[in-house]
């Protein structure tokens, strides 16, 4: 049971890796934000790589109407506001690890809620990208969200094993007792 907590706690490390890959039309990755960067707020002028950074600079200087449209979606564009509710994902991973020590079912529940929340937020990033009206950019899952999901699935499998093993052992003991009695 104690080992079951490890994969859930490794989720915290996995989320240090990019949660999403933002790429241009020609599959050039222009940003790789981590969950921690998005949660604490980030400056797109610092996070974006070329060619997107050059395009952003040209738009700021030559197309103020486009910048106004961006500011309707993101008021402080090019700065993204902090998204503090993402810390709930981190808290969920820690709780899943803690619950693994006491209640495997609670751990599975917290792990699954954490994973669904991560993927839901990634979908929201895609919708934000669509709302900005930049068809050249696409948001895809990053290695961090994939690794975190994999760790949650490993923790879930370990929890299921800790739930099922005593049942199987009891079944075997009853079967052996019946055989002995016969």
């Amino acid at each position: 049971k104690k080992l079951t907590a490890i994969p859930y706690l490794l989720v915290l490390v996995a989320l240090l890796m990019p949660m999403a890959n933002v790429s241009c039309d020609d599959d050039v990755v222009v940003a790789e934000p981590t969950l921690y960067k998005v949660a604490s707020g980030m400056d797109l002028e610092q996070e974006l790589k070329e060619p997107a950074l050059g395009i952003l600079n040209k738009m700021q200087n030559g197309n103020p109407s486009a910048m106004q449209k961006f500011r309707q979606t993101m008021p402080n564009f090019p700065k993204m506001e902090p998204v503090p509710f993402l810390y709930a994902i981190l808290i969920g991973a820690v709780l899943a690890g803690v619950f693994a020590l006491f209640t495997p079912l609670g751990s599975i529940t917290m792990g699954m809620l954490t994973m669904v929340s991560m993927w839901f937020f990634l979908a929201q990033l895609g919708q934000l990208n669509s709302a900005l009206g930049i068809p050249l950019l696409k948001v895809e899952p990053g290695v961090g969200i994939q690794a975190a999901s994999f760790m949650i699935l490993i923790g879930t499998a370990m929890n299921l094993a800790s739930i099922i093993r005593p049942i199987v052992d009891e079944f075997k003991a009853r079967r052996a007792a019946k055989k002995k009695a016969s």
Side-chain angles (χ1 to χ4, degrees):
K1 274 188 167 182
K2 291 177 184 176
L3 291 176
T4 307
I6 293 172
Y8 292 111
L9 298 177
L10 287 175
V11 168
L12 302 175
V13 176
L15 292 174
L16 288 169
M17 295 183 278
M19 181 177 185
N21 292 330
V22 181
S23 58
C24 286
D25 209 19
D26 53 358
D27 290 332
V28 174
V29 175
V30 295
E32 296 178 303
T34 66
L35 182 121
Y36 300 100
K37 284 182 185 177
V38 176
S40 61
M42 60 185 206
D43 186 352
L44 294 177
E45 290 178 318
Q46 293 177 356
E47 289 297 318
L48 289 177
K49 301 173 190 166
E50 289 299 334
L53 183 59
I55 294 169
L56 177 65
N57 290 332
K58 283 180 187 176
M59 287 174 57
Q60 285 178 324
N61 296 330
N63 195 352
S65 61
M67 297 309 291
Q68 281 306 110
K69 182 178 181 190
F70 291 158
R71 285 193 174 89
Q72 290 173 356
T73 306
M74 291 173 49
N76 293 322
F77 187 83
K79 293 184 181 6
M80 286 183 64
E81 294 293 321
V83 187
F85 71 83
L86 287 178
Y87 292 118
I89 291 173
L90 302 174
I91 293 168
V94 170
L95 286 175
V98 170
F99 286 174
L101 302 173
F102 306 108
T103 170
L105 194 55
S107 180
I108 290 170
T109 303
M110 285 307 301
M112 288 294 121
L113 287 172
T114 299
M115 187 165 68
V116 167
S117 298
M118 287 186 309
W119 286 96
F120 177 76
F121 181 71
L122 183 68
Q124 292 296 337
L125 279 179
Q127 287 182 345
L128 175 65
N129 181 49
S130 296
L132 288 174
I134 308 174
L136 299 175
L137 293 180
K138 60 183 174 182
V139 178
E140 296 176 328
V143 68
I145 195 169
Q146 293 172 352
S149 297
F150 186 68
M151 288 295 118
I152 290 171
L153 292 175
I154 288 173
T156 299
M158 292 171 76
N159 273 316
L160 287 173
S162 70
I163 291 170
I164 294 170
R165 188 175 192 149
I167 295 169
V168 170
D169 289 345
E170 184 179 328
F171 180 74
K172 285 181 181 178
R174 285 183 184 176
R175 198 172 189 182
K178 275 186 180 179
K179 230 179 196 178
K180 210 176 201 180
S182 322

